[in-house]
Amino acid sequence: MQNWINSKKYFSEAKKVIPGGVNSPVRAYVAVGGEPLFIERAKGAYIYDVDGNKYIDYVLSWGPMILGHSNETVLKAVSKAMKKGTSFGAPTKKEVELAKLITEIYPSIEKVRLVSSGTEAAMSAIRLARGYTGREKIIKFEGCYHGHFDSLLVKAGSGAATFGVPSSKGVTKGIAQDTITLPFNDIEKTEEVIRRERENLACVILEPVPANMGVVLPKDNFLKRLRQVTSENNVLLIFDEVITGFRVALGGAQEVFGVKPDLTVLGKIIGGGFPIGAFGGRAEIMDELSPDGPVYQAGTLSGNPVAVSAGIATIKELMEKDTYEKLDKITGELVTGLSKIIVKTNHEAVINRIGSLFTIFFSDKNEIYDYNDVSSCDLKKFAEFFQGMLAHGIYLAPSQFEANFVSTKHSSVDINKTIEAFEHTLRREKKTY
Ligand code: KE4
């Protein structure tokens, strides 16, 4: 059993000066109970807390650390960049290099604008879609998360296909009524609402493979039919690939599923662990952005040379041969092993996985295809599972509604240890049930 004395001490200090003791809510372990670990350092697939405990890390800073922590090449690129200055508020060659890399890897992206977070990128993409089309309404899907932008903190209203209601205090009814929230994977309902609302509908935004309700896979043809109905009705399609971009494939979900959106939102991996976001698409749309166009968008640290250097180094390493085949293989070994334990210990759970992204759902359903399905999960069981794995030195996403990530540094030894810990955890949890 780990001792967490220092984490507890730091957490009580933190709560005196930081709301909830954290700078982002999910870190507070509200969904799983207990108190958050304070992290001292990380290397490769491992993370170390302030009490000296070591964990195999499947959070990887919520996705960016796909090469593992403290990657030598990334650190070298960052230190080289820092010696030349850390921020200029002026154009640099590195920004152009990253923009070129993104446009080469994502055929749907002819031009891209760099910002400092995924939220900022999604927010800017929505404003651009509204500015380019001259229309106001947007469609999102229940369970998809695109950052904490007001227009996207909206849940389904009384009738799923009517206008939204705020999902957070501080978001006005006026903002929420311009957002329609639909059930993910329900293509018939989506086609019907797009056709009905087309006159004042700017865009549809989605995670092509949602990871913010846990990993949920698009049903066959959902993305292709969504592309077709948005094109037919002149509605922009925005893929939020902040998680899936450079994760499920170098070219993201749009490469895996062969669907080209009008705009793409990126983040996380393209910053290699530094603050970053990006949004891009067809030049005729992107050219509507200031200073050339009438849609204003700006940022002090946008395209920051240090963050951009980390991103370029990360992407170049990801472009090396067989990176994604290896990631897919090791994640496949893990998920196969975990699935066997679920059967062996006679538990009710199902694992959704794509590439090196996976979620274990504690549900009696055989398939998890939308937010409704996820809401059927046994959250108490999930919390016990999370705490049990943590006690065995396995650091997972502290919420049933999140994804877990594998890096190029996770080894077969790590995978076997994780599977072993899973069996011990489920068996012990079985005893208490
Ligand atoms: P950021 O503003 O947190 O950089 O990105 C927002 C965002 C946008 N789009 C998608 C698909 C995302 O997953 C995110 C942020 N992801 C969460 C984890 N589910 C970040 C962790 C957190 O909120 O602390």
Side-chain angles (χ1 to χ4, degrees):
M1 194 60 186
Q2 323 285 0
N3 104 56
W4 292 323
I5 297 164
N6 286 324
S7 276
K8 286 188 180 317
K9 186 179 80 179
Y10 289 121
F11 191 47
S12 66
E13 283 303 297
K15 283 187 287 189
K16 292 175 193 156
V17 286
I18 301 174
V22 290
N23 283 309
S24 199
V26 71
R27 303 179 190 172
Y29 284 19
V30 173
V32 290
E35 296 190 339
L37 301 186
F38 274 60
I39 302 306
E40 178 71 31
R41 62 188 178 90
K43 180 72 182 164
Y46 311 122
I47 202 161
Y48 302 80
D49 68 19
V50 292
D51 291 289
N53 302 303
K54 175 182 177 182
Y55 305 86
I56 301 173
D57 182 15
Y58 290 100
V59 179
L60 298 176
S61 181
W62 301 96
M65 311 322 293
I66 191 168
L67 298 179
H69 294 285
S70 314
N71 172 284
E72 290 307 326
T73 317
V74 174
L75 293 183
K76 264 202 207 94
V78 163
S79 108
K80 189 165 168 243
M82 284 184 3
K83 288 189 180 107
K84 296 163 73 178
T86 55
S87 180
F88 315 119
T92 65
K93 288 179 292 187
K94 285 282 178 195
E95 290 163 79
V96 180
E97 189 182 342
L98 178 56
K100 278 186 178 161
L101 262 180
I102 291 170
T103 55
E104 281 156 17
I105 297 167
Y106 288 74
S108 69
I109 300 179
E110 293 173 344
K111 287 192 176 180
V112 60
R113 173 69 54 94
L114 301 177
V115 293
S116 297
S117 73
T119 296
E120 203 184 339
M123 171 181 84
S124 307
I126 296 287
R127 182 181 313 129
L128 176 60
R130 286 170 160 157
Y132 173 77
T133 61
R135 300 185 220 121
E136 293 171 359
K137 299 256 183 276
I138 66 173
I139 285 176
K140 76 175 290 289
F141 293 92
E142 216 168 9
C144 284
Y145 176 68
H146 308 288
H148 59 92
F149 170 45
D150 282 9
S151 288
L152 294 167
L153 289 179
V154 174
K155 58 189 178 208
S158 48
T162 56
F163 306 132
V165 293
S167 63
S168 161
K169 283 196 83 168
V171 175
T172 65
K173 282 202 289 294
I175 292 271
Q177 70 177 11
D178 282 338
T179 302
I180 301 168
T181 302
L182 297 176
F184 185 77
N185 265 329
D186 184 338
I187 190 59
E188 286 76 21
K189 166 88 70 191
T190 303
E191 286 170 341
E192 175 209 325
V193 173
I194 289 173
R195 291 180 184 126
R196 186 191 76 203
E197 296 296 330
R198 63 192 303 275
E199 293 308 317
N200 195 19
L201 187 59
C203 63
V204 175
I205 184 168
L206 73 158
E207 295 176 73
V209 179
N212 284 285
M213 51 175 137
V215 177
V216 167
L217 299 178
K219 280 184 179 161
D220 294 348
N221 290 329
F222 176 72
L223 296 175
K224 284 203 185 321
R225 283 179 62 178
L226 185 58
R227 174 65 286 179
Q228 191 179 350
V229 69
T230 45
S231 302
E232 284 165 359
N233 290 278
N234 249 334
V235 173
L236 294 186
L237 181 59
I238 304 178
F239 273 8
D240 178 345
E241 297 223 44
V242 165
I243 283 190
T244 52
F246 295 94
R247 168 61 66 180
V248 298
L250 191 66
Q254 52 197 274
E255 176 186 307
V256 173
F257 294 94
V259 174
K260 275 175 88 169
D262 299 298
L263 291 173
T264 299
V265 177
L266 294 168
K268 295 185 193 274
I269 288 174
I270 64 167
F274 285 79
I276 201 161
F279 63 105
R282 294 203 314 269
E284 61 159 331
I285 304 173
M286 295 301 288
D287 287 342
E288 289 293 292
L289 280 171
S290 55
D292 294 348
V295 179
Y296 193 69
Q297 187 276 328
T300 303
L301 292 171
S302 296
N304 173 268
V306 178
V308 162
S309 300
I312 291 166
T314 299
I315 293 171
K316 284 191 170 166
E317 191 153 320
L318 287 172
M319 289 170 77
E320 281 172 19
K321 199 169 160 325
D322 296 339
T323 300
Y324 289 90
E325 289 74 8
K326 286 182 204 149
L327 265 174
D328 196 51
K329 183 171 175 298
I330 195 99
T331 311
E333 280 170 26
L334 173 63
V335 169
T336 304
L338 297 175
S339 304
K340 282 184 184 151
I341 300 299
I342 290 168
V343 173
K344 193 174 159 189
T345 58
N346 189 24
H347 266 74
E348 290 177 327
V350 59
I351 302 178
N352 282 358
R353 168 195 63 130
I354 179 168
S356 55
L357 202 53
F358 71 96
T359 297
I360 303 168
F361 292 101
F362 284 84
S363 166
D364 55 3
K365 286 179 181 279
N366 295 326
E367 294 178 320
I368 300 284
Y369 267 121
D370 61 24
Y371 188 72
N372 226 9
D373 290 346
V374 181
S375 304
S376 73
C377 288
D378 183 332
L379 300 184
K380 183 170 180 300
K381 246 190 191 175
F382 178 85
E384 290 209 4
F385 150 72
F386 172 84
Q387 293 294 350
M389 295 295 271
L390 196 63
H392 281 96
I394 312 297
Y395 191 80
L396 296 163
S399 163
Q400 176 67 89
F401 301 86
E402 294 288 355
N404 296 293
F405 305 84
V406 180
S407 82
T408 56
K409 286 287 184 283
H410 282 76
S411 67
S412 295
V413 171
D414 300 320
I415 297 311
N416 293 332
K417 274 188 185 155
T418 306
I419 295 164
E420 228 174 279
F422 190 51
E423 180 160 11
H424 289 310
T425 300
L426 290 194
R427 287 195 185 289
R428 192 184 62 226
E429 186 249 3
K430 195 79 186 154
K431 272 193 216 119
T432 57
Y433 261 67

